[in-house]
Amino acid sequence: ALAKDASLGFRVLPTYRPDKALRAGNEGFPAYVEALSIAAGASIGNTNELIDALIKRMDYFHDQGGRVSDHALDTVPFQVPDRKLADAAFTDAMAGKALDALQFEHYRTTILIALGAAYHERGWVQQYHMNAARNNNTRLFKAFGADVGGDSTTDTLVADKLLHLLDAQDSQGKLPKTILYSLNPAANYILATAAGTFQGDTPGKVQFGSAWWFNDQLDGMRDQMKTLANVGALGNFVGMLTDSRSLVSYPRHEYFRRIVCGLIGGWVENGEYPNDEEALAAIVRGICYENAKAYFGF
């Protein structure tokens, strides 16, 4: 409906977020699979058919202008995929049984690698958000449900499995453009250096994403960009995002732009970067607009 409103003066594009497909074992998983089956117009009886249905929905999003996916990886999975073990997890989840941890990890890895290949084929960007602990307060969750203030940062290890997951996609020649975020700033150097090991095809192909959630404040934004400048290429950074889905949060981008200019300006004043206004303007324009425009291809 928004796409048909010529008076808006801007575009609103959908982001594909198949988190529920990765949460087999949750109470609502069978109902989700049934809804997905109806939406995709396809029967779903195993992991292959689930992936096929997810890709059909991906193509629907593509037709509506979507070019970005987002995955909330509260823990990062990796096993060299075994489809039989993945199917065993799917079957148990549909039957409401408790899942075997190893089978569940095969299931999640299988889906992420398959979706990554589909993103690559369509020129999409995949996003991985990591290190969030959700719904910690049982009393609060029972009274009000999810997303009401019961979430926090966690210290789950991400480096080893994340690197294997990206490498599995890259080894197939099907690693899409990827943005990595951590709610735990202790993982900043992990993600920034991990991104640096999977470059090619396009400038800044794998990105260390902007300061997210609890970190999108003055110190968090500075720390994220200083880390990227220290070990990566700040000039290729695609800049700030707002995932709060709230119009009143959009001034966060203006706040971010001021922090970018203050940070770079401080380096110039300290003699740590040349006082070249043309070069500085190109960096700032890139981080605040041009890089994202080129990277996402909207």
Side-chain angles (χ1 to χ4, degrees):
L2 289 169
K4 296 174 183 176
D5 188 346
S7 68
L8 281 180
F10 55 84
R11 299 172 71 196
V12 179
L13 305 177
T15 297
Y16 182 67
R17 187 164 183 172
D19 286 347
K20 291 181 181 179
L22 290 164
R23 291 175 178 162
N26 281 17
E27 186 177 340
F29 182 74
Y32 163 76
V33 172
E34 182 179 355
L36 175 62
S37 174
I38 293 169
S43 62
I44 302 174
N46 55 43
T47 310
N48 266 349
E49 292 175 352
L50 177 73
I51 291 168
D52 289 343
L54 289 170
I55 291 175
K56 285 184 178 180
R57 296 304 296 157
M58 187 189 305
D59 286 334
Y60 175 80
F61 274 68
H62 190 90
D63 291 342
Q64 310 310 313
R67 297 294 183 271
V68 185
S69 71
D70 194 6
H71 295 274
L73 301 182
D74 299 336
T75 60
V76 180
F78 186 78
Q79 294 290 334
V80 177
D82 183 316
R83 196 57 62 96
K84 289 183 179 179
L85 294 178
D87 283 341
F90 177 83
T91 299
D92 285 348
M94 292 300 290
K97 297 179 181 178
L99 300 191
D100 174 85
L102 179 61
Q103 291 175 351
F104 185 40
E105 189 143 339
H106 277 274
Y107 169 84
R108 294 173 68 209
T109 306
T110 297
I111 291 178
L112 286 172
I113 291 176
L115 291 182
Y119 300 147
H120 179 269
E121 290 167 3
R122 289 157 182 77
W124 278 32
V125 176
Q126 70 177 2
Q127 300 180 99
Y128 289 162
H129 283 83
M130 293 162 278
N131 270 325
R134 303 174 191 272
N135 306 315
N136 307 319
N137 187 322
T138 302
R139 173 186 53 80
L140 194 67
F141 180 75
K142 287 182 177 178
F144 301 107
D147 306 321
V148 294
D151 306 329
S152 70
T153 302
T154 186
D155 57 357
T156 305
L157 297 176
V158 300
D160 183 61
K161 290 185 176 181
L162 175 63
L163 291 169
H164 280 94
L165 179 60
L166 296 175
D167 188 51
Q169 296 177 55
D170 186 70
S171 295
Q172 296 177 357
K174 294 184 178 180
L175 175 65
K177 291 177 284 187
T178 301
I179 308 179
L180 308 172
Y181 307 86
S182 174
L183 195 57
N184 186 345
N188 279 2
Y189 272 84
I190 291 172
L191 298 193
T193 55
T197 65
F198 293 100
Q199 295 302 324
D201 303 332
T202 187
K205 177 177 179 176
V206 179
Q207 293 264 335
F208 171 35
S210 61
W212 168 48
W213 196 346
F214 295 121
N215 301 318
D216 56 8
Q217 25 72 11
L218 180 64
D219 289 338
M221 291 184 197
R222 282 178 174 167
D223 288 347
Q224 185 271 339
M225 285 186 280
K226 285 168 67 177
T227 299
L228 180 55
N230 281 336
V231 299
L234 182 64
N236 287 335
F237 182 34
V238 295
M240 190 59 180
L241 89 161
T242 299
D243 68 347
S244 70
R245 311 162 187 85
S246 167
L247 288 172
V248 297
S249 76
Y250 291 170
R252 186 176 306 171
H253 290 265
E254 168 68 9
Y255 184 55
F256 169 81
R257 288 190 288 268
R258 290 175 179 270
I259 292 171
V260 170
C261 292
L263 187 66
I264 296 174
W267 293 333
V268 173
E269 288 188 348
N270 290 336
E272 296 167 344
Y273 194 88
N275 188 4
D276 180 333
E277 190 162 332
E278 184 177 347
L280 294 167
I283 292 171
V284 172
R285 280 198 307 268
I287 294 171
C288 296
Y289 179 71
E290 298 289 352
N291 295 346
K293 182 180 178 183
Y295 186 77
F296 293 103
F298 293 140

mmCIF file of all heavy atoms in Angstrom, residues 10-43:
data_model
loop_
_atom_site.group_PDB
_atom_site.id
_atom_site.type_symbol
_atom_site.label_atom_id
_atom_site.label_comp_id
_atom_site.label_asym_id
_atom_site.label_seq_id
_atom_site.Cartn_x
_atom_site.Cartn_y
_atom_site.Cartn_z
ATOM 1 N N PHE A 10 9.182 9.282 -0.179
ATOM 2 C CA PHE A 10 10.230 8.346 0.226
ATOM 3 C C PHE A 10 9.708 6.934 0.043
ATOM 4 O O PHE A 10 8.514 6.729 -0.198
ATOM 5 C CB PHE A 10 10.658 8.571 1.689
ATOM 6 C CG PHE A 10 9.516 8.515 2.679
ATOM 7 C CD1 PHE A 10 9.071 7.307 3.188
ATOM 8 C CD2 PHE A 10 8.895 9.682 3.096
ATOM 9 C CE1 PHE A 10 8.028 7.252 4.087
ATOM 10 C CE2 PHE A 10 7.838 9.634 4.006
ATOM 11 C CZ PHE A 10 7.413 8.419 4.505
ATOM 12 N N ARG A 11 10.613 5.946 0.141
ATOM 13 C CA ARG A 11 10.239 4.547 -0.055
ATOM 14 C C ARG A 11 10.317 3.794 1.269
ATOM 15 O O ARG A 11 11.187 4.059 2.094
ATOM 16 C CB ARG A 11 11.166 3.880 -1.070
ATOM 17 C CG ARG A 11 11.130 4.527 -2.448
ATOM 18 C CD ARG A 11 12.217 3.940 -3.335
ATOM 19 N NE ARG A 11 11.897 2.561 -3.715
ATOM 20 C CZ ARG A 11 12.789 1.718 -4.213
ATOM 21 N NH1 ARG A 11 14.040 2.081 -4.372
ATOM 22 N NH2 ARG A 11 12.421 0.496 -4.548
ATOM 23 N N VAL A 12 9.405 2.861 1.455
ATOM 24 C CA VAL A 12 9.416 1.966 2.617
ATOM 25 C C VAL A 12 9.538 0.542 2.083
ATOM 26 O O VAL A 12 8.645 0.057 1.396
ATOM 27 C CB VAL A 12 8.138 2.109 3.469
ATOM 28 C CG1 VAL A 12 8.181 1.143 4.646
ATOM 29 C CG2 VAL A 12 7.978 3.539 3.970
ATOM 30 N N LEU A 13 10.673 -0.101 2.362
ATOM 31 C CA LEU A 13 10.942 -1.427 1.833
ATOM 32 C C LEU A 13 10.964 -2.450 2.966
ATOM 33 O O LEU A 13 11.427 -2.144 4.066
ATOM 34 C CB LEU A 13 12.288 -1.445 1.100
ATOM 35 C CG LEU A 13 12.450 -0.400 -0.008
ATOM 36 C CD1 LEU A 13 13.843 -0.480 -0.612
ATOM 37 C CD2 LEU A 13 11.398 -0.582 -1.085
ATOM 38 N N PRO A 14 10.505 -3.670 2.709
ATOM 39 C CA PRO A 14 10.437 -4.680 3.774
ATOM 40 C C PRO A 14 11.772 -5.375 4.014
ATOM 41 O O PRO A 14 12.586 -5.521 3.097
ATOM 42 C CB PRO A 14 9.411 -5.680 3.235
ATOM 43 C CG PRO A 14 9.595 -5.615 1.747
ATOM 44 C CD PRO A 14 9.924 -4.177 1.440
ATOM 45 N N THR A 15 12.006 -5.770 5.233
ATOM 46 C CA THR A 15 13.162 -6.595 5.597
ATOM 47 C C THR A 15 12.676 -8.003 5.937
ATOM 48 O O THR A 15 11.697 -8.163 6.675
ATOM 49 C CB THR A 15 13.910 -5.995 6.799
ATOM 50 O OG1 THR A 15 14.426 -4.722 6.433
ATOM 51 C CG2 THR A 15 15.059 -6.880 7.241
ATOM 52 N N TYR A 16 13.355 -8.977 5.400
ATOM 53 C CA TYR A 16 12.981 -10.391 5.558
ATOM 54 C C TYR A 16 13.608 -10.926 6.845
ATOM 55 O O TYR A 16 14.829 -10.916 6.993
ATOM 56 C CB TYR A 16 13.499 -11.147 4.338
ATOM 57 C CG TYR A 16 13.184 -12.618 4.274
ATOM 58 C CD1 TYR A 16 11.879 -13.058 4.109
ATOM 59 C CD2 TYR A 16 14.198 -13.568 4.327
ATOM 60 C CE1 TYR A 16 11.597 -14.414 4.007
ATOM 61 C CE2 TYR A 16 13.931 -14.917 4.233
ATOM 62 C CZ TYR A 16 12.620 -15.338 4.073
ATOM 63 O OH TYR A 16 12.350 -16.673 3.983
ATOM 64 N N ARG A 17 12.768 -11.392 7.776
ATOM 65 C CA ARG A 17 13.289 -11.817 9.078
ATOM 66 C C ARG A 17 12.687 -13.168 9.480
ATOM 67 O O ARG A 17 11.702 -13.231 10.232
ATOM 68 C CB ARG A 17 12.984 -10.753 10.131
ATOM 69 C CG ARG A 17 13.638 -11.069 11.451
ATOM 70 C CD ARG A 17 13.687 -9.869 12.371
ATOM 71 N NE ARG A 17 14.384 -10.203 13.598
ATOM 72 C CZ ARG A 17 14.716 -9.332 14.531
ATOM 73 N NH1 ARG A 17 14.437 -8.063 14.375
ATOM 74 N NH2 ARG A 17 15.343 -9.731 15.614
ATOM 75 N N PRO A 18 13.279 -14.269 9.029
ATOM 76 C CA PRO A 18 12.709 -15.596 9.290
ATOM 77 C C PRO A 18 13.165 -16.211 10.610
ATOM 78 O O PRO A 18 13.504 -17.394 10.670
ATOM 79 C CB PRO A 18 13.202 -16.401 8.093
ATOM 80 C CG PRO A 18 14.536 -15.801 7.773
ATOM 81 C CD PRO A 18 14.423 -14.338 8.101
ATOM 82 N N ASP A 19 13.180 -15.419 11.681
ATOM 83 C CA ASP A 19 13.662 -15.928 12.970
ATOM 84 C C ASP A 19 12.883 -17.153 13.446
ATOM 85 O O ASP A 19 13.456 -18.087 14.012
ATOM 86 C CB ASP A 19 13.567 -14.839 14.043
ATOM 87 C CG ASP A 19 14.641 -13.773 13.881
ATOM 88 O OD1 ASP A 19 15.588 -14.005 13.109
ATOM 89 O OD2 ASP A 19 14.524 -12.718 14.517
ATOM 90 N N LYS A 20 11.567 -17.146 13.242
ATOM 91 C CA LYS A 20 10.745 -18.247 13.773
ATOM 92 C C LYS A 20 11.101 -19.583 13.125
ATOM 93 O O LYS A 20 10.942 -20.629 13.757
ATOM 94 C CB LYS A 20 9.270 -17.931 13.577
ATOM 95 C CG LYS A 20 8.779 -16.788 14.461
ATOM 96 C CD LYS A 20 7.299 -16.507 14.254
ATOM 97 C CE LYS A 20 6.834 -15.362 15.129
ATOM 98 N NZ LYS A 20 5.391 -15.053 14.925
ATOM 99 N N ALA A 21 11.597 -19.535 11.895
ATOM 100 C CA ALA A 21 11.996 -20.780 11.235
ATOM 101 C C ALA A 21 13.192 -21.415 11.924
ATOM 102 O O ALA A 21 13.373 -22.635 11.883
ATOM 103 C CB ALA A 21 12.320 -20.510 9.772
ATOM 104 N N LEU A 22 14.022 -20.596 12.548
ATOM 105 C CA LEU A 22 15.220 -21.105 13.222
ATOM 106 C C LEU A 22 14.944 -21.502 14.666
ATOM 107 O O LEU A 22 15.826 -22.051 15.328
ATOM 108 C CB LEU A 22 16.323 -20.041 13.186
ATOM 109 C CG LEU A 22 16.915 -19.798 11.799
ATOM 110 C CD1 LEU A 22 17.694 -18.497 11.762
ATOM 111 C CD2 LEU A 22 17.807 -20.954 11.395
ATOM 112 N N ARG A 23 13.753 -21.225 15.142
ATOM 113 C CA ARG A 23 13.439 -21.486 16.551
ATOM 114 C C ARG A 23 12.556 -22.720 16.700
ATOM 115 O O ARG A 23 11.547 -22.711 17.407
ATOM 116 C CB ARG A 23 12.798 -20.253 17.178
ATOM 117 C CG ARG A 23 13.805 -19.114 17.306
ATOM 118 C CD ARG A 23 13.199 -17.833 17.803
ATOM 119 N NE ARG A 23 14.237 -16.796 17.953
ATOM 120 C CZ ARG A 23 13.985 -15.493 18.035
ATOM 121 N NH1 ARG A 23 12.740 -15.056 17.971
ATOM 122 N NH2 ARG A 23 14.976 -14.627 18.171
ATOM 123 N N ALA A 24 12.935 -23.772 16.005
ATOM 124 C CA ALA A 24 12.252 -25.058 16.192
ATOM 125 C C ALA A 24 12.380 -25.442 17.655
ATOM 126 O O ALA A 24 13.410 -25.243 18.277
ATOM 127 C CB ALA A 24 12.898 -26.122 15.301
ATOM 128 N N GLY A 25 11.323 -25.978 18.206
ATOM 129 C CA GLY A 25 11.330 -26.306 19.623
ATOM 130 C C GLY A 25 10.557 -25.304 20.448
ATOM 131 O O GLY A 25 10.108 -25.621 21.561
ATOM 132 N N ASN A 26 10.377 -24.090 19.918
ATOM 133 C CA ASN A 26 9.513 -23.135 20.593
ATOM 134 C C ASN A 26 8.067 -23.591 20.512
ATOM 135 O O ASN A 26 7.660 -24.278 19.564
ATOM 136 C CB ASN A 26 9.655 -21.745 19.975
ATOM 137 C CG ASN A 26 10.897 -21.022 20.454
ATOM 138 O OD1 ASN A 26 11.817 -21.642 20.994
ATOM 139 N ND2 ASN A 26 10.949 -19.720 20.247
ATOM 140 N N GLU A 27 7.274 -23.170 21.459
ATOM 141 C CA GLU A 27 5.883 -23.632 21.559
ATOM 142 C C GLU A 27 5.084 -23.352 20.286
ATOM 143 O O GLU A 27 4.260 -24.154 19.859
ATOM 144 C CB GLU A 27 5.215 -22.956 22.762
ATOM 145 C CG GLU A 27 3.814 -23.466 23.037
ATOM 146 C CD GLU A 27 3.212 -22.840 24.279
ATOM 147 O OE1 GLU A 27 3.982 -22.310 25.122
ATOM 148 O OE2 GLU A 27 1.972 -22.872 24.425
ATOM 149 N N GLY A 28 5.315 -22.222 19.656
ATOM 150 C CA GLY A 28 4.520 -21.855 18.490
ATOM 151 C C GLY A 28 5.077 -22.321 17.161
ATOM 152 O O GLY A 28 4.549 -21.946 16.102
ATOM 153 N N PHE A 29 6.109 -23.170 17.170
ATOM 154 C CA PHE A 29 6.758 -23.549 15.907
ATOM 155 C C PHE A 29 5.818 -24.294 14.956
ATOM 156 O O PHE A 29 5.768 -23.952 13.760
ATOM 157 C CB PHE A 29 8.011 -24.378 16.194
ATOM 158 C CG PHE A 29 8.768 -24.776 14.960
ATOM 159 C CD1 PHE A 29 9.526 -23.854 14.257
ATOM 160 C CD2 PHE A 29 8.719 -26.088 14.491
ATOM 161 C CE1 PHE A 29 10.227 -24.213 13.108
ATOM 162 C CE2 PHE A 29 9.412 -26.456 13.346
ATOM 163 C CZ PHE A 29 10.162 -25.522 12.651
ATOM 164 N N PRO A 30 5.062 -25.315 15.385
ATOM 165 C CA PRO A 30 4.180 -26.000 14.427
ATOM 166 C C PRO A 30 3.160 -25.061 13.782
ATOM 167 O O PRO A 30 2.897 -25.161 12.574
ATOM 168 C CB PRO A 30 3.493 -27.068 15.291
ATOM 169 C CG PRO A 30 4.467 -27.331 16.399
ATOM 170 C CD PRO A 30 5.060 -25.989 16.705
ATOM 171 N N ALA A 31 2.618 -24.135 14.561
ATOM 172 C CA ALA A 31 1.656 -23.177 14.002
ATOM 173 C C ALA A 31 2.337 -22.261 12.993
ATOM 174 O O ALA A 31 1.750 -21.907 11.956
ATOM 175 C CB ALA A 31 1.034 -22.353 15.124
ATOM 176 N N TYR A 32 3.584 -21.879 13.272
ATOM 177 C CA TYR A 32 4.339 -21.055 12.326
ATOM 178 C C TYR A 32 4.554 -21.800 11.011
ATOM 179 O O TYR A 32 4.376 -21.236 9.925
ATOM 180 C CB TYR A 32 5.681 -20.645 12.923
ATOM 181 C CG TYR A 32 6.651 -20.153 11.872
ATOM 182 C CD1 TYR A 32 6.523 -18.894 11.303
ATOM 183 C CD2 TYR A 32 7.686 -20.982 11.421
ATOM 184 C CE1 TYR A 32 7.394 -18.462 10.312
ATOM 185 C CE2 TYR A 32 8.558 -20.545 10.436
ATOM 186 C CZ TYR A 32 8.407 -19.294 9.882
ATOM 187 O OH TYR A 32 9.263 -18.863 8.894
ATOM 188 N N VAL A 33 4.955 -23.073 11.089
ATOM 189 C CA VAL A 33 5.194 -23.858 9.874
ATOM 190 C C VAL A 33 3.905 -23.985 9.060
ATOM 191 O O VAL A 33 3.921 -23.890 7.823
ATOM 192 C CB VAL A 33 5.773 -25.246 10.230
ATOM 193 C CG1 VAL A 33 5.844 -26.137 8.994
ATOM 194 C CG2 VAL A 33 7.158 -25.102 10.854
ATOM 195 N N GLU A 34 2.797 -24.161 9.742
ATOM 196 C CA GLU A 34 1.515 -24.245 9.035
ATOM 197 C C GLU A 34 1.206 -22.930 8.318
ATOM 198 O O GLU A 34 0.774 -22.923 7.150
ATOM 199 C CB GLU A 34 0.391 -24.581 10.020
ATOM 200 C CG GLU A 34 -0.964 -24.733 9.355
ATOM 201 C CD GLU A 34 -2.067 -25.091 10.336
ATOM 202 O OE1 GLU A 34 -1.771 -25.323 11.531
ATOM 203 O OE2 GLU A 34 -3.243 -25.130 9.907
ATOM 204 N N ALA A 35 1.440 -21.805 9.005
ATOM 205 C CA ALA A 35 1.191 -20.494 8.392
ATOM 206 C C ALA A 35 2.134 -20.265 7.209
ATOM 207 O O ALA A 35 1.722 -19.729 6.170
ATOM 208 C CB ALA A 35 1.369 -19.392 9.431
ATOM 209 N N LEU A 36 3.387 -20.678 7.358
ATOM 210 C CA LEU A 36 4.351 -20.549 6.264
ATOM 211 C C LEU A 36 3.927 -21.391 5.069
ATOM 212 O O LEU A 36 4.017 -20.958 3.916
ATOM 213 C CB LEU A 36 5.740 -20.976 6.747
ATOM 214 C CG LEU A 36 6.849 -21.022 5.690
ATOM 215 C CD1 LEU A 36 7.100 -19.645 5.095
ATOM 216 C CD2 LEU A 36 8.135 -21.592 6.291
ATOM 217 N N SER A 37 3.439 -22.595 5.330
ATOM 218 C CA SER A 37 2.989 -23.489 4.272
ATOM 219 C C SER A 37 1.857 -22.853 3.463
ATOM 220 O O SER A 37 1.854 -22.890 2.228
ATOM 221 C CB SER A 37 2.521 -24.822 4.872
ATOM 222 O OG SER A 37 1.952 -25.650 3.896
ATOM 223 N N ILE A 38 0.931 -22.225 4.168
ATOM 224 C CA ILE A 38 -0.201 -21.568 3.490
ATOM 225 C C ILE A 38 0.292 -20.377 2.673
ATOM 226 O O ILE A 38 -0.095 -20.186 1.513
ATOM 227 C CB ILE A 38 -1.250 -21.134 4.529
ATOM 228 C CG1 ILE A 38 -1.885 -22.374 5.178
ATOM 229 C CG2 ILE A 38 -2.321 -20.256 3.885
ATOM 230 C CD1 ILE A 38 -2.739 -22.066 6.385
ATOM 231 N N ALA A 39 1.159 -19.560 3.276
ATOM 232 C CA ALA A 39 1.649 -18.359 2.596
ATOM 233 C C ALA A 39 2.457 -18.704 1.349
ATOM 234 O O ALA A 39 2.373 -18.016 0.332
ATOM 235 C CB ALA A 39 2.499 -17.527 3.554
ATOM 236 N N ALA A 40 3.248 -19.786 1.438
ATOM 237 C CA ALA A 40 4.099 -20.183 0.309
ATOM 238 C C ALA A 40 3.367 -21.066 -0.687
ATOM 239 O O ALA A 40 3.869 -21.301 -1.792
ATOM 240 C CB ALA A 40 5.337 -20.911 0.829
ATOM 241 N N GLY A 41 2.202 -21.581 -0.301
ATOM 242 C CA GLY A 41 1.479 -22.485 -1.178
ATOM 243 C C GLY A 41 2.210 -23.788 -1.409
ATOM 244 O O GLY A 41 2.237 -24.309 -2.524
ATOM 245 N N ALA A 42 2.825 -24.309 -0.334
ATOM 246 C CA ALA A 42 3.627 -25.528 -0.470
ATOM 247 C C ALA A 42 3.536 -26.352 0.804
ATOM 248 O O ALA A 42 3.456 -25.805 1.906
ATOM 249 C CB ALA A 42 5.084 -25.170 -0.741
ATOM 250 N N SER A 43 3.536 -27.674 0.653
ATOM 251 C CA SER A 43 3.545 -28.540 1.827
ATOM 252 C C SER A 43 4.949 -28.553 2.426
ATOM 253 O O SER A 43 5.956 -28.441 1.721
ATOM 254 C CB SER A 43 3.114 -29.960 1.454
ATOM 255 O OG SER A 43 4.024 -30.523 0.521
#
